[in-house]
Amino acid sequence: MKDAHAATRADPCAALPPLHAATIRTVLIGRWFTWLDRARIAWVAVGDDQALAAAAGSDVDVLVAPHQLGTIHRLVRRFAQAHGLRLVQDIQHEAVARFFVLAWEGDDGRPGFLYLDIAGDYWRRARRFLAVAPLLRRRVHASTVSAAGCHLSYWRPSPADNVLYYLLKKLDKGTLPASACLMLTREWRCDPDGARAALVGYLPAAAVDLIAIAVLTGDWDAVQSELPRLRAH
């Protein structure tokens, strides 16, 4: 990465050796999580743990306490400066969510990108639909090792909370790809009773049953056919 010496002065841990872009991305994700902890931000990384570990270019989705959301823009800028990155995009794509793109140039001259999606409470139709505070209270610490051997430590929601948040966001988008079905299956099986209970009040009982059956059988066709109706719920 460029400006490695300047980055080292700003943060002794900042310099990165020549690495593959995916490995650099994994290292940066870990350092971003550490950055949040050092700033005493309450946070969780939501979604697919396997995609997070793979660092294949997908968004890093993080939820933070709403009262701390206003500090994120400054934290991202400082993080970028300390690690020799360029902040190439900063979009407030929802009332309580911001999307950042950080870029660097690898030793081979090719650009690399880190996508950060930071949100507070989940709002729908001008009302708070899902509060972040309970997810933060029940968060658990996790760690994984990427394919390149990089260790990644992070806060994540409980399996039931992860099912709830991830599924609701996918329903909002009206899409449930195969990778999402696999992720929901893994999370649901960690806590079947908790996952079912978490969905009560957000989805009709019949829809919750369909999802439970899909997890058991691996056949999500019935759920897929109900997506337009569930999105409107």
Side-chain angles (χ1 to χ4, degrees):
M1 294 176 62
K2 289 187 172 181
D3 302 323
H5 295 298
T8 304
R9 287 196 299 271
D11 181 347
C13 299
L16 293 173
L19 297 169
H20 186 274
T23 305
I24 292 176
R25 195 176 294 112
T26 303
V27 172
L28 288 172
I29 290 171
R31 292 184 179 180
W32 168 240
F33 290 163
T34 299
W35 200 266
L36 290 171
D37 284 334
R38 288 178 178 173
R40 298 186 178 180
I41 300 293
W43 64 276
V44 288
V46 292
D48 191 342
D49 288 22
Q50 292 188 0
L52 183 65
S58 56
D59 297 354
V60 180
D61 295 314
V62 170
L63 303 181
V64 303
H67 71 277
Q68 295 182 312
L69 192 58
T71 68
I72 292 299
H73 175 76
R74 184 170 64 255
L75 281 176
V76 171
R77 284 192 172 277
R78 289 177 178 173
F79 178 80
Q81 291 170 359
H83 291 82
L85 308 173
R86 289 182 294 116
L87 177 58
V88 296
Q89 194 170 75
D90 174 4
I91 299 174
Q92 184 169 337
H93 62 96
E94 295 178 19
V96 290
R98 297 186 76 142
F99 181 72
F100 303 91
V101 179
L102 304 179
W104 68 91
E105 184 178 307
D107 293 326
D108 58 0
R110 301 178 63 180
F113 300 96
L114 177 63
Y115 308 98
L116 304 177
D117 201 338
I118 318 295
D121 291 338
Y122 178 17
W123 288 70
R124 182 191 281 183
R125 303 187 185 110
R127 69 181 181 90
R128 188 169 63 181
F129 189 57
L130 180 62
V132 170
L135 278 68
L136 294 175
R137 286 196 300 269
R138 294 189 291 262
R139 67 179 183 169
V140 295
H141 198 257
S143 62
T144 188
V145 178
S146 72
C150 297
H151 182 267
L152 192 63
S153 179
Y154 56 100
W155 292 103
R156 53 153 294 161
S158 69
D161 285 337
N162 209 21
V163 166
L164 173 63
Y165 187 87
Y166 190 77
L167 179 61
L168 291 180
K169 294 296 282 189
K170 289 298 182 183
L171 293 180
D172 248 7
K173 294 179 180 178
T175 178
L176 201 59
S179 59
C181 296
L182 289 173
M183 175 271 176
L184 289 168
T185 297
R186 289 194 303 270
E187 294 291 285
W188 187 289
R189 288 176 175 173
C190 291
D191 182 9
D193 293 338
R196 178 184 283 273
L199 296 181
V200 173
Y202 290 95
L203 296 176
V208 177
D209 289 339
L210 277 180
I211 294 168
I213 292 170
V215 169
L216 287 173
T217 63
D219 184 354
W220 287 78
D221 288 348
V223 177
Q224 297 282 6
S225 66
E226 289 293 311
L227 285 182
R229 191 178 308 172
L230 294 176
R231 187 182 185 188
H233 181 71

